[in-house]
Amino acid sequence: MTSPYASFSDTLRDNGYHVMPVMPGAKVPGSFNGAGWQPMSQWSKWCDTMPPDFLHQKWSDWPDAGLCVAHGAVVGLDIDTDRKDVADAAVAAIGPSPLRRTGQKGWMGYYRPGASLDDQ
């Protein structure tokens, strides 16, 4: 079975997003050592620098790897509500995001500061 990281990371990287694997069932970047998962050390360096291709290929092979977008050159706006009217008001105020992740309630949109919505 293909992991979420393996399924979606190529497209995100092609669009300039810095992505990392996430430990299954967690909200933290993770590393897989063959026996299990652990939190990734020094993950914040990937906020400003695109992870190199050799790491990306390695991460794509890790079982059940989730996917996260490293913030740095992008801003995440968390719309943490299950009220459609509140979410609609936020989108009306800031514009739609071309990249979103959904959670148990609401969503997080990613934006590039200073870019027009067409360049997001």
Side-chain angles (χ1 to χ4, degrees):
M1 181 173 195
T2 303
S3 73
Y5 184 89
S7 296
F8 301 107
S9 61
D10 284 338
T11 300
L12 292 171
R13 284 174 56 91
D14 289 347
N15 284 289
Y17 293 98
H18 302 189
V19 294
M20 297 175 287
V22 174
M23 297 180 356
K27 292 184 176 183
V28 61
S31 294
F32 184 76
N33 64 11
W37 285 90
Q38 60 195 22
M40 181 183 288
S41 65
Q42 301 179 352
W43 63 266
S44 61
K45 66 184 170 188
W46 306 127
C47 292
D48 297 321
T49 303
M50 179 71 75
D53 287 341
F54 80 91
L55 271 181
H56 167 61
Q57 293 305 318
K58 179 179 177 181
W59 294 344
S60 294
D61 292 335
W62 288 352
D64 304 318
L67 183 137
C68 68
V69 174
H71 295 200
V74 297
V75 173
L77 177 64
D78 192 4
I79 307 298
D80 196 16
T81 183
D82 52 9
R83 288 185 46 187
K84 185 173 178 354
D85 61 324
V86 172
D88 288 347
V91 170
I94 59 165
S97 171
L99 177 60
R100 284 188 180 188
R101 72 154 171 86
T102 56
Q104 290 183 346
K105 64 178 184 175
W107 51 269
M108 179 175 286
Y110 295 92
Y111 299 86
R112 290 187 173 109
S116 73
L117 289 176
D118 293 332
D119 296 330
Q120 293 290 327

